[in-house]
Amino acid sequence: MLEPVTYPLDDILARWQPYGRAGLLPCLIDVQERLGWLPPDACVAVGEALHVPLADVYGVVEFYALLYPTPTGEMVLRVCDDVACFARGSADIVATCSRLLGIQPGETTPDRRFTLEVHPCLGQCDRAPAALRGLVPVGNVAASAVETVLLNGEVAPLPQVVGDERSILLRRVGRCAPHDLAAYEADGGFEALQRALQIGAGAVIAEVKASGLFGRGGAAFPTGVKWESAAHQSDRTRYVVCNADESEPGTFKDRVLMEGDPFAIIEGLTIAGYAIGAQKGFIYVRGEYALAFERLQMAITKAREAGYLGEDILGSGFAFDIEVRRGAGAYICGEETALFESIEGKRGMPRQKPPFPTEKGLFGKPTVINNVETLANVPHIVRHGAAWFRRIGSEDAPGPKLFCVSGNVAHPGVYEAPMTTTLRALLEMAGGVADGRAVQAILLGGAAGTFVPLDALDTPLTPSALRSMGATLGSGAVMVFDERVPMLDVLARIGRFFAHESCGKCYPCQLGTQRQWEMVQRWHAAGRVLAEDMPRFGDLAATMRDASICGLGQTASAAIESWIRLYT
């Protein structure tokens, strides 16, 4: 029998106890931050305080990569070895860390100073090769500097995105202090919220519908249609959720917006809440984005103090507030219903649809969920009007778009442009291929995306143009590989990523991603794609695409299929 917990946890347990099961994940995160891991007696105390069975507590602990039921070293080094970082030399960083520490990834040094982990994408692709010391990002790591930078913590300042006056979404990023509410207001901040309260919820939805704004997270669903559906539900308790669990390899734009312009996200989410009649909003931030979490928390506090959140926003009688939740390392929580499950204190597994979130979402109530970039567009639409928004881009792809360009380009980063921009123009913005080398391959949409033919560089990045060539932009990731990159290693990492991140709820994805990884590993060992595997791979890909519950399994084979089609 376990002894009663003797750790100083009473304040943490008291804070989250009123939430019941919905407080489970943040409570576990807070306990781990204090203790360094989650001892059995602490898990018992959490379960008792929140009235959650111990089996369910451990079910959540073991689901998330950033929660530890066993002790770790004093410092956890998380080195990214996913495709964008691999293209810029992360394998050397992992090997150097192992040599200097005398341990392999997944192990802890005998003195318990360091635990070394190899992680899937950390959302730092513009700083590749990247790592986290604890949750502090370290970018542009060179193998020669591993000892000083990663082991001794002599971290140089990270390169930052800086917008300009021609930008719309990036306008304030790097130019205004993210915590400076007065600077945000001076640049037109919260004028859109004031206008929304003046014209009414119905007019706001009509404006967003007329703008043609569609989701910037990958699904591209019309935003106004989603809001209208939720607003028409009979249940008066409603929620709005900002999906900031940006975990798609190659994607980091939402991190840049949250760190650089958090008030814009708050304003967009508040307008969404007003439009559908919601009383509360949540922002679910991926666990690796500690700085984004802190800046959003600070911005919410300042917005509340200024009357932009709370019981009577700007004297309108509209009551609305926002809570920020952290993830704990699970790619699947980027799927909207898995994200709901996580907020509710469960393992982040997707739900069957229908019912759809606008009918039955978070806590079983009508819910609108949009990603960060989508919500960042909303204040501009409400403030300037749908006609202004439609003048940017094209009829089927209006408005500005953020593109995440990474890999072997001279200047990896976030670039803002209309979707009518071509790949060639986008690569020119990023300075072209680094060191004057030739492009070998371009992957659009991240690990769940598609490789595109190199003769398609002049294709505009609109949904219709990309569909015509069997490609998709997804969340806006553009990863470039020069001729030095061994592409079978890239395919192996894509296969490993999906096998690791499958939640295991549905059999086609759980087993399919494992079989896919095994096949790609055989190709890697053979140095070529094996022709005898092609019939099996085709059947496997079709089964995952047609029978998986959610987008993870449905797109797990897309990049590998497109590579085979183009290059074998």
Side-chain angles (χ1 to χ4, degrees):
M1 184 174 178
L2 292 172
E3 295 293 325
V5 64
T6 58
Y7 312 114
L9 300 179
D10 289 350
D11 57 330
I12 295 175
L13 299 180
R15 177 188 177 190
W16 294 110
Q17 189 172 31
Y19 290 75
R21 182 161 194 152
L24 180 56
L25 183 56
C27 185
L28 289 169
I29 292 171
D30 286 353
V31 169
Q32 180 170 279
E33 285 186 346
R34 179 165 295 177
L35 305 180
W37 64 297
L38 293 167
D41 48 355
C43 290
V44 169
V46 169
E48 290 177 347
L50 273 56
H51 304 290
V52 177
L54 185 60
D56 289 0
V57 173
Y58 273 108
V60 168
V61 170
E62 293 169 0
F63 186 82
Y64 295 94
L66 299 182
L67 297 182
Y68 298 96
T70 55
T72 65
E74 296 172 19
M75 174 61 67
V76 180
L77 299 178
R78 301 178 175 95
V79 181
C80 179
D81 193 33
D82 223 303
V83 288
C85 284
F86 172 73
R88 296 180 71 92
S90 64
D92 291 341
I93 309 305
V94 174
T96 303
C97 285
S98 289
R99 177 176 57 81
L100 291 175
L101 294 174
I103 57 175
Q104 294 301 309
E107 296 178 348
T108 300
T109 55
D111 61 3
R112 308 210 68 80
R113 285 189 61 205
F114 293 101
T115 294
L116 177 62
E117 294 183 350
V118 171
H119 263 249
C121 184
L122 297 172
Q124 309 286 332
C125 316
D126 51 334
R127 302 159 173 171
L132 295 179
R133 294 188 83 253
L135 288 176
V136 177
V138 183
N140 303 316
V141 182
S144 60
V146 163
E147 186 165 11
T148 57
V149 171
L150 285 184
L151 305 192
N152 296 334
E154 298 176 14
V155 181
L158 291 167
Q160 300 296 324
V161 173
V162 179
D164 58 41
E165 292 185 355
R166 297 170 297 173
S167 303
I168 296 171
L169 300 177
L170 297 178
R171 176 184 175 87
R172 288 178 290 268
V173 173
R175 300 174 68 241
C176 298
H179 60 271
D180 191 341
L181 176 57
Y184 182 73
E185 292 170 324
D187 196 51
F190 288 110
E191 287 183 9
L193 176 58
Q194 294 177 48
R195 182 170 187 267
L197 296 171
Q198 291 167 1
I199 65 177
V204 170
I205 293 175
E207 197 78 59
V208 173
K209 282 185 70 177
S211 74
L213 174 67
F214 55 77
R216 296 325 202 216
F221 191 84
T223 304
V225 172
K226 183 184 291 189
W227 290 14
E228 187 175 58
S229 175
H232 287 167
Q233 300 301 313
S234 58
D235 196 322
R236 307 312 298 173
T237 300
R238 301 165 186 168
Y239 296 100
V240 286
V241 176
C242 174
N243 185 345
D245 190 63
E246 181 182 52
S247 303
E248 183 65 47
T251 310
F252 45 91
K253 60 187 174 60
D254 291 351
R255 186 204 83 223
V256 167
L257 287 174
M258 288 186 287
E259 291 178 354
D261 197 9
F263 288 112
I265 316 307
I266 293 165
E267 185 174 12
L269 188 62
T270 304
I271 292 171
Y274 174 69
I276 75 159
Q279 298 80 35
K280 187 169 184 178
F282 289 86
I283 304 176
Y284 186 96
V285 183
R286 73 174 293 189
E288 293 86 348
Y289 285 179
L291 181 59
F293 176 78
E294 292 170 8
R295 288 186 173 173
L296 284 166
Q297 290 274 55
M298 184 183 298
I300 286 170
T301 298
K302 291 196 171 188
R304 190 181 296 121
E305 291 171 349
Y308 297 120
L309 293 172
E311 292 300 318
D312 183 19
I313 294 175
L314 300 177
S316 66
F318 171 53
F320 181 80
D321 214 334
I322 297 173
E323 182 178 334
V324 188
R325 290 292 186 94
R326 282 182 287 181
Y331 170 76
I332 188 61
C333 287
E335 197 280 335
E336 56 191 13
T337 61
L339 187 153
F340 298 156
E341 293 284 295
S342 184
I343 291 177
E344 292 175 14
K346 306 167 190 172
R347 293 162 68 93
M349 291 182 167
R351 302 171 183 172
Q352 291 278 9
K353 300 176 190 175
F356 295 98
T358 54
E359 304 163 9
K360 189 175 181 181
L362 184 63
F363 302 117
K365 302 298 183 180
T367 304
V368 157
I369 179 167
N370 294 121
N371 91 314
V372 170
E373 185 187 352
T374 308
L375 290 168
N377 276 282
V378 167
H380 299 288
I381 293 169
V382 174
R383 184 180 174 205
H384 299 295
W388 167 87
F389 190 79
R390 280 196 169 276
R391 285 198 292 269
I392 305 166
S394 63
E395 180 63 26
D396 71 329
K401 180 75 185 79
L402 298 182
F403 298 93
C404 309
V405 186
S406 64
N408 302 121
V409 292
H411 306 295
V414 177
Y415 294 90
E416 181 176 329
M419 278 181 272
T420 48
T421 300
T422 65
L423 263 176
R424 188 183 305 278
L426 199 59
L427 295 186
E428 289 173 358
M429 292 181 203
V433 181
D435 304 321
R437 295 181 178 272
V439 177
Q440 178 182 188
I442 298 175
L443 178 59
L444 290 187
T450 49
F451 286 95
V452 296
L454 298 185
D455 60 5
L457 290 182
D458 293 313
T459 302
L461 296 169
T462 61
S464 57
L466 292 176
R467 272 196 305 270
S468 68
M469 56 186 252
T472 176
L473 183 61
S475 56
V478 179
M479 288 190 274
V480 180
F481 305 94
D482 67 25
E483 75 270 19
R484 297 171 300 177
V485 179
M487 293 306 296
L488 286 176
D489 285 82
V490 172
L491 298 189
R493 279 163 171 76
I494 292 172
R496 179 188 66 186
F497 176 82
F498 285 111
H500 177 267
E501 296 295 340
S502 174
C503 75
K505 181 171 183 175
C506 70
Y507 189 72
C509 177
Q510 179 191 34
L511 186 61
T513 53
Q514 294 293 329
R515 296 293 86 86
Q516 175 175 268
W517 187 26
E518 291 165 6
M519 282 191 200
V520 179
Q521 286 178 297
R522 285 201 297 271
W523 305 345
H524 183 264
R528 60 186 175 86
V529 175
L530 299 175
E532 57 267 31
D533 276 342
M534 289 303 94
R536 285 191 294 272
F537 183 81
D539 289 345
L540 180 66
T543 300
M544 287 195 290
R545 184 170 55 248
D546 296 340
S548 296
I549 288 176
C550 80
L552 190 154
Q554 292 162 9
T555 61
S557 63
I560 298 172
E561 272 192 301
S562 65
W563 173 263
I564 292 169
R565 184 172 63 252
L566 290 172
Y567 297 105
T568 62

